[in-house]
């Protein structure tokens, strides 16, 4: 307070001195400074102004103390809040790290599950391949046994023997369906690429007409599928009749029958089907062969086709060949044109190889020849050939029986 008063007093004296005058501002000092000083320092006459100032000073100090106390409490609370905020942030960081670790563990578990599924699929594929190898081994063993036995061509047709009731794992047909499907489709393509060409080369040594050679091979394929399907139906009826006597278990009788057939395909008498195909080809009026040679020369091709066609009947759904007739409209979804075709001709002159279908959908294209006017010229040649060639009484009798309309006369598969 003294410093404040001294400052004010110095200010008043400076202003008074600047005003000047006769007595250098004495009147101003008397009229302004002395009354003010009197009110501030006249504690002898009256102690109220001093007490008032003292009270104001004490109030000001008390408020200042309370303000400092309040500021201190606020600072303490702010520090506590900052500590809680820091702790909360630390806990949140821990929670986020735990979530990241859980997410990483979940992703790792999912990857392990995917790898486990892949391993299971690979194991199943290996099991399927083992089953296919077992089936191929059985086929090879049956071939070896038949090669050591007398030629079936000269043997009498054997009566159906009782089926051996070997043990087989249930559900085998459905478990191996995909792998067997892939194998049989590939085998069908291999026969087209290898055995067909070998048979074509062999036939060219006896027949100079390339069209006749290709017709013979196509009809052999058609008749092989027909004979194999008929043999499969008979074989399935025998198996069903045998297994129905003692069938029990969770699997249906049809599944059990199919599993048995897949397990014991080596019991299929393929030679009987080969003989049936050759008999059908001998009475087919659309093809001819030199009298000194028999269709037995292409029996290896027919045998492989019969085996593949029989195995295709065990698939779910079974595979078959497409229906084809000479003179039909060329269908690019079913056939490829042969290299010597007339690519502007809309009709099929004759077929080289049948198309493979599944549920009426083509999965492997066949091959056909398209030529303008070739269909009619072939029909005229066929009629002249059938009138001029000499036939044995047996072949003549068979041809006279084949004059009735049947799918075989048109060269199409009998379904």
């Amino acid at each position: 307070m003294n410093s404040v008063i001294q400052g004010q007093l110095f200010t008043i004296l400076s202003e008074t001195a600047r005003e000047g005058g006769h007595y250098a501002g004495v009147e101003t000092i008397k009229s302004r400074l002395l009354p003010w000083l009197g009110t501030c320092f006249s504690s002898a006459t009256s102690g109220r102004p001093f007490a008032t100032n003292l009270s104001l000073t004490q109030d000001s100090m008390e408020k200042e103390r309370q303000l400092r106390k309040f500021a201190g409490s606020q600072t303490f609370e702010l520090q506590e809040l900052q500590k809680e905020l820091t702790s909360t942030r630390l806990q949140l960081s821990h929670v986020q790290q735990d979530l990241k670790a859980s997410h990483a563990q979940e992703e790792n578990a999912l990857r392990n599950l995917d790898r486990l599924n892949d391993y299971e699929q690979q194991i199943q594929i290996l099991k399927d391949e083992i089953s296919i190898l077992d089936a191929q081994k059985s086929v090879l063993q049956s071939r070896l046994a038949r090669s050591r036995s007398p030629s079936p061509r000269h043997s009498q047709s054997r009566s159906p023997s009782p089926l051996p009731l070997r043990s087989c794992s249930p559900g085998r047909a459905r478990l191996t369906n995909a792998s067997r499907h892939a194998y049989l489709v590939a085998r069908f393509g291999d026969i087209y690429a290898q055995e067909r060409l070998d048979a074509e080369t062999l036939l060219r040594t006896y027949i100079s007409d390339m069209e006749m050679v290709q017709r013979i091979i196509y009809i052999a394929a058609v008749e092989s599928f027909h004979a194999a399907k008929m043999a499969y139906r008979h074989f399935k009826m025998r198996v069903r009749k045998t297994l129905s006597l003692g069938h029990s278990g969770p699997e249906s009788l049809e599944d059990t029958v199919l599993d048995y057939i897949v397990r014991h395909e080596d019991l299929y008498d393929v030679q009987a089907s080969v003989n049936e195909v050759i008999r059908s080809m001998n009475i087919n009026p659309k093809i001819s062969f030199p009298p000194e040679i028999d269709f037995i020369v292409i029996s290896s091709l027919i045998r492989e086709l019969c085996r593949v066609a029989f195995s295709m009947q065990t698939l779910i759904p079974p595979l078959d060949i497409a229906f084809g007739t000479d003179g039909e409209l060329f269908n690019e979804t079913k056939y490829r044109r042969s290299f010597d075709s007339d690519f502007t001709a809309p009709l099929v002159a004759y077929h080289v190889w049948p198309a493979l279908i599944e549920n009426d959908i083509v999965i492997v294209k066949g091959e056909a020849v398209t030529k303008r006017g070739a269909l009619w010229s072939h029909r005229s040649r066929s009629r002249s050939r059938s009138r001029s060639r000499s036939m044995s009484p047996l072949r003549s009798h068979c041809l006279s029986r084949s004059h009735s309309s049947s799918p075989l006369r048109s060269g199409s598969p009998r379904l």
Side-chain angles (χ1 to χ4, degrees):
M1 291 296 291
N2 290 333
S3 64
V4 172
I5 293 173
Q6 288 175 0
Q8 292 179 354
L9 180 59
F10 179 76
T11 301
I12 293 173
L13 289 175
S14 297
E15 291 179 354
T16 303
R18 283 197 300 270
E19 288 181 1
H22 182 70
Y23 296 101
V26 175
E27 292 298 328
T28 303
I29 293 173
K30 288 180 179 181
S31 60
R32 296 184 181 180
L33 179 59
L34 290 179
W36 185 79
L37 292 175
T39 58
C40 292
F41 297 101
S42 58
S43 57
T45 57
S46 176
R48 181 176 298 174
F50 180 76
T52 301
N53 292 333
L54 183 61
S55 176
L56 292 174
T57 302
Q58 291 177 350
D59 292 340
S60 176
M61 292 177 65
E62 180 66 19
K63 289 181 179 180
E64 185 178 357
R65 185 182 65 80
Q66 292 178 356
L67 183 62
R68 285 197 300 271
K69 182 179 179 181
F70 179 74
S73 64
Q74 292 295 322
T75 302
F76 177 78
E77 291 179 359
L78 181 61
Q79 292 176 352
E80 292 295 326
L81 289 176
Q82 287 179 349
K83 290 180 181 180
E84 292 180 1
L85 179 60
T86 303
S87 177
T88 303
R89 288 177 177 174
L90 183 61
Q91 293 178 358
L92 180 60
S93 176
H94 290 328
V95 171
Q96 289 177 348
Q97 292 178 358
D98 293 340
L99 289 175
K100 290 180 179 179
S102 300
H103 185 65
Q105 291 177 356
E106 182 180 359
E107 290 181 349
N108 189 25
L110 291 176
R111 286 194 297 268
N112 292 334
L113 182 60
D114 292 337
R115 284 197 293 268
L116 180 61
N117 293 332
D118 293 339
Y119 292 152
E120 290 178 351
Q121 292 178 359
Q122 293 176 3
I123 291 173
Q124 186 60 49
I125 291 173
L126 291 176
K127 289 181 178 179
D128 295 344
E129 292 179 352
I130 292 173
S131 64
I132 291 175
L133 291 176
D134 290 339
Q136 292 177 350
K137 179 182 176 182
S138 300
V139 171
L140 292 176
Q141 289 176 348
S142 64
R143 288 184 187 177
L144 180 61
R146 282 193 296 269
S147 65
R148 293 175 179 175
S149 62
S151 176
R153 187 177 176 214
H154 303 287
S155 61
Q156 299 295 329
S157 59
R158 59 184 181 182
S159 59
S161 58
L163 293 173
L165 293 178
R166 308 177 196 170
S167 61
C168 59
S169 58
R172 177 186 180 90
R174 295 187 181 276
L175 289 176
T176 62
N177 189 75
S179 59
R180 290 187 297 112
H181 180 281
Y183 168 76
L184 291 173
V185 171
R187 184 71 187 104
F188 184 78
D190 292 340
I191 293 175
Y192 167 78
Q194 186 61 46
E195 281 86 345
R196 179 187 69 92
L197 295 180
D198 294 341
E200 185 177 289
T201 302
L202 181 60
L203 289 175
R204 287 301 301 272
T205 60
Y206 304 105
I207 304 174
S208 59
D209 186 1
M210 186 61 181
E211 176 181 339
M212 181 56 63
V213 170
Q214 291 177 336
R215 284 181 177 273
I216 290 173
I217 294 176
Y218 174 76
I219 293 177
V222 171
E223 293 295 340
S224 297
F225 265 81
H226 173 70
K229 287 190 295 182
M230 293 300 296
Y232 176 80
R233 292 171 188 171
H234 296 157
F235 189 77
K236 186 176 182 181
M237 286 189 295
R238 290 175 53 203
V239 173
R240 185 188 292 109
K241 182 178 179 180
T242 303
L243 297 182
S244 61
L245 300 176
H247 173 69
S248 63
E251 297 81 16
S252 64
L253 178 60
E254 289 298 321
D255 288 344
T256 305
V257 170
L258 189 59
D259 292 342
Y260 185 92
I261 297 175
V262 170
R263 183 70 175 179
H264 306 97
E265 286 189 30
D266 58 305
L267 298 178
Y268 164 48
D269 188 5
V270 64
Q271 185 60 42
S273 296
V274 172
N275 297 337
E276 179 63 29
V277 171
I278 293 175
R279 282 193 296 269
S280 299
M281 294 178 66
N282 283 330
I283 63 174
N284 193 307
K286 298 189 69 173
I287 55 177
S288 62
F289 209 67
E292 65 276 9
I293 305 297
D294 196 87
F295 288 116
I296 195 69
V297 296
I298 59 171
S299 59
S300 60
L301 170 66
I302 297 173
R303 182 176 291 105
E304 292 303 315
L305 284 170
C306 288
R307 286 198 180 100
V308 170
F310 185 89
S311 298
M312 285 180 176
Q313 306 313 304
T314 65
L315 297 176
I316 307 173
L319 300 181
D320 202 352
I321 55 176
F323 181 84
T325 57
D326 294 347
E328 67 176 333
L329 185 65
F330 179 78
N331 188 346
E332 293 185 354
T333 61
K334 291 174 58 178
Y335 302 104
R336 295 185 300 270
R337 297 179 191 265
S338 61
F339 70 95
D340 56 344
S341 294
D342 183 355
F343 285 79
T344 62
L347 302 180
V348 174
Y350 62 92
H351 299 81
V352 176
W353 193 251
L356 192 65
I357 59 175
E358 179 181 9
N359 283 336
D360 296 329
I361 298 176
V362 177
I363 60 175
V364 178
K365 284 186 177 183
E367 184 177 345
V369 177
T370 56
K371 290 183 179 180
R372 295 185 180 274
L375 180 62
W376 307 110
S377 61
H378 172 74
R379 288 179 177 176
S380 62
R381 289 198 306 269
S382 299
R383 286 194 296 267
S384 62
R385 186 188 305 113
S386 63
R387 287 194 300 265
S388 61
R389 66 180 179 180
S390 60
M391 297 174 291
S392 63
L394 177 61
R395 288 179 60 91
S396 177
H397 174 67
C398 294
L399 283 176
S400 63
R401 292 180 57 188
S402 65
H403 286 168
S404 58
S405 59
S406 66
L408 182 61
R409 282 186 55 82
S410 61
S412 60
R414 295 181 289 187
L415 303 177

